[in-house]
Amino acid sequence: MSEKKILLLGSGFVAEPFVKYVTRRPENKVTIASRTEANAQALAAKYPGAATGVSCDINNDQAIEDLVAQHDIVISLIPYIYHAKVIKAACKHKKNVVTTSYVSPAMMEYDQAAKDAGITVMNEIGLDPGIDHLYAVKTINEVHNEGGKIKEFISFCGGLPAPENSNNPFGYKFSWSARGVLLALKNTAKYLEHGKVVEVSGVELMDSARVLNTGYPGFAFVGYGNRDSTPYDKRYNIPEAETILRGTMRYDGFCQLAKALFILGFLSEEEQPHLLASAPEIAWNEVVAKVVGVSDVSEEAIKAAIIQKTNLANNPRKDQIIDGMRWLGFFSNTKVTRRGNLLDTFCATLEEKMQYEENERDLVFLQHRFEIELKDGSRQTRTSTLVDFGVPGGFSAMAKTVGVPCGIATQLILDGKLTAKGVVAPMTTDITEPIIELLEKEGIGMVERIL
């Protein structure tokens, strides 16, 4: 076997399951390129002889080009805003690319250049997006081939702590930046429901959360829309669908607490003089008193003002929400980490209190629900469900379910079994079927049921 040179950009937490998968094949040699050379080398050291670590500045176009030119395929696991730059270099040097990110307009601009270069730029091949597409396309094709129609497609996905580790008021822990998770709560969700386009923005997003009937009563999940689901009538080839919703899943209780914090202004990026690094030290009760407009920093005064401002007086979750704020330290004289505005100051506390501890495990839960009209006019409900837990001391469920599909797609391209040219995503059976086959060999897959 001739040697295959793989360039991996990024050494973050999904990188190792990818490296572990592709280095099973002795001909594969991986160069791990990271902003911090020590991180790249630490990961490479776990795979001696198969991987090497180098430093790379993504803002240095020439350095990126030189690295891309020396390899057969480039895997970009860096922030999505840089993928277009990587694809540009890959088109020039005729090298294939794999990313786990959504195809952005900036990436799509290189579709023709990639086709002209005869290369595959494979995207959206992690968990969500990724595994979700594979099994959506599978069921949709099966139904269409039998003469049926998809009337509703509803899909929710969540990366959460396992139930026994959901031991905080949010039922959530951060494996990456708290800031990104919180800012996503301000996004507008857009979806199709009973033939009408619905848009939900800002604080209404948390109100729109629905209790999910997953068929797994041991989990108390709610879900709300994630970004724009409306293009999926075309992406999944289901023009007949009257409802199309892709959403985010959380444990029940998350949305009520998040909504109260949103109303109070804790997602604000506006500069506050008393939160500047140069300002005097300030305690949480003083910060929250300013937020709710009281001068008295006693718990009673702050609590009364919060209840009034967030309209909690008759809310059945009032005590739970107030308990959550107490847990966060809002009524305490604990000094805050001043980061200039309420959002970043709040994130400093979340990152301190809501990290995964040693020996804790995460959970990935993904479920599609299809309402189907069969050829004979009768109705049917189908579900596809993935439940995966992390292994303490091993890979998290999230790292595995993103890194392994990415590794499988990479290997299929190297083996010449995945040959679609241009900027593509797993939306057609020539791509999805071989990936599903290999994914299930790794013990990862969605369980399909007819209800």
Side-chain angles (χ1 to χ4, degrees):
M1 271 294 209
S2 61
E3 189 172 284
K4 295 284 199 292
K5 294 180 178 172
I6 300 168
L7 173 61
L8 172 61
L9 298 174
S11 59
F13 85 123
V14 301
E16 190 176 348
F18 169 85
V19 175
K20 186 174 182 181
Y21 184 86
V22 295
T23 55
R24 288 181 195 172
R25 296 272 284 265
E27 72 272 18
N28 289 343
K29 303 299 177 197
V30 183
T31 304
I32 303 161
S34 176
R35 187 177 53 191
T36 312
E37 188 170 357
N39 292 350
Q41 289 180 343
L43 176 51
K46 296 181 182 181
Y47 300 89
T52 49
V54 300
S55 75
C56 175
D57 177 4
I58 189 61
N59 294 306
N60 182 337
D61 291 3
Q62 192 56 51
I64 295 294
E65 271 214 26
D66 293 347
L67 271 173
V68 168
Q70 295 163 30
H71 292 82
D72 298 305
I73 190 165
V74 190
I75 317 309
S76 189
L77 295 181
I78 51 180
Y80 77 95
I81 53 172
Y82 300 115
H83 292 328
K85 180 183 288 209
V86 174
I87 295 167
K88 181 182 180 184
C91 289
K92 181 176 173 182
H93 295 284
K94 300 188 170 160
K95 307 294 184 179
N96 297 312
V97 180
V98 179
T99 85
T100 58
S101 302
Y102 285 105
V103 175
S104 67
M107 291 154 71
M108 201 62 207
E109 280 180 22
Y110 288 98
D111 182 47
Q112 192 56 51
K115 285 174 178 162
D116 293 344
I119 64 168
T120 302
V121 181
M122 182 75 207
N123 307 281
E124 303 190 24
I125 191 58
L127 167 67
D128 171 14
I131 296 173
D132 57 346
H133 294 334
L134 302 177
Y135 286 86
V137 168
K138 180 177 186 290
T139 296
I140 289 163
N141 275 314
E142 285 168 4
V143 170
H144 284 169
N145 290 340
E146 292 160 9
K149 293 176 180 170
I150 304 287
K151 303 303 281 184
E152 291 188 5
F153 172 77
I154 297 175
S155 175
F156 285 99
C157 184
L160 297 160
E164 73 275 16
N165 301 131
S166 61
N167 52 348
N168 67 55
F170 289 95
Y172 193 82
K173 291 192 175 174
F174 298 104
S175 46
W176 50 59
S177 107
R179 191 177 213 272
V181 173
L182 290 182
L183 286 178
L185 302 178
K186 296 169 87 166
N187 289 344
T188 296
K190 192 173 171 187
Y191 51 90
L192 187 68
E193 192 159 41
H194 308 311
K196 293 194 174 75
V197 174
V198 179
E199 280 200 50
V200 187
S201 61
V203 76
E204 293 173 347
L205 186 60
M206 295 297 93
D207 278 337
S208 74
R210 55 187 80 189
V211 173
L212 299 183
N213 170 21
T214 59
Y216 289 72
F219 294 108
F221 289 135
V222 297
Y224 51 88
N226 180 21
R227 300 195 235 190
D228 188 358
S229 301
T230 57
Y232 282 84
D233 59 342
K234 292 189 176 63
R235 294 199 85 193
Y236 284 166
N237 186 29
I238 43 172
E240 72 273 21
E242 291 156 15
T243 296
I244 302 175
L245 170 59
R246 298 172 83 248
T248 299
M249 182 183 272
R250 294 287 181 259
Y251 285 122
D252 190 22
F254 177 96
C255 294
Q256 292 90 341
L257 181 52
K259 180 190 173 185
L261 293 164
F262 197 130
I263 292 169
L264 291 173
F266 280 93
L267 272 65
S268 169
E269 298 173 82
E270 190 181 324
E271 189 177 284
Q272 303 279 356
H274 60 283
L275 296 178
L276 294 173
S278 55
E281 283 204 327
I282 186 167
W284 262 123
N285 55 3
E286 296 172 278
V287 171
V288 181
K290 285 181 188 289
V291 165
V292 295
V294 296
S295 52
D296 181 349
V297 297
S298 70
E299 177 167 338
E300 285 65 36
I302 295 172
K303 195 158 75 175
I306 287 172
I307 289 168
Q308 186 182 3
K309 192 161 183 177
T310 55
N311 200 19
L312 285 180
N314 298 313
N315 189 315
R317 298 289 184 106
K318 178 183 78 174
D319 291 344
Q320 191 181 340
I321 292 165
I322 294 297
D323 285 349
M325 292 184 182
R326 185 178 295 108
W327 180 86
L328 287 163
F330 281 10
F331 310 124
S332 74
N333 53 15
T334 304
K335 300 289 186 264
V336 305
T337 303
R338 301 181 305 286
R339 287 189 180 171
N341 60 46
L342 272 173
L343 172 69
D344 291 310
T345 299
F346 182 45
C347 283
T349 290
L350 294 183
E351 283 160 11
E352 182 190 320
K353 285 180 163 275
M354 290 169 60
Q355 294 288 346
Y356 282 94
E357 303 289 330
E358 204 177 346
N359 292 324
E360 290 190 336
R361 59 183 190 151
D362 69 327
L363 158 74
V364 161
F365 196 105
L366 165 63
Q367 187 173 73
H368 299 326
R369 192 178 184 94
F370 307 88
E371 295 297 337
I372 297 161
E373 184 182 296
L374 297 173
K375 189 178 182 179
D376 65 4
S378 63
R379 302 291 287 237
Q380 184 185 74
T381 303
R382 292 192 198 181
T383 59
S384 295
T385 311
L386 169 73
V387 185
D388 201 284
F389 288 94
V391 178
F395 294 142
S396 70
M398 182 61 76
K400 182 174 76 172
T401 55
V402 175
V404 172
C406 179
I408 288 170
T410 300
Q411 192 62 61
L412 286 167
I413 292 169
L414 288 171
D415 290 345
K417 291 177 181 169
L418 209 156
T419 57
K421 304 303 178 207
V423 176
V424 296
M427 296 291 164
T428 50
T429 52
D430 59 317
I431 297 174
T432 59
E433 285 178 357
I435 297 177
I436 286 174
E437 187 184 333
L438 292 176
L439 196 61
E440 292 184 350
K441 283 184 179 166
E442 301 304 311
I444 303 171
M446 296 182 78
V447 176
E448 298 171 304
R449 291 175 66 201
I450 298 175
L451 302 185

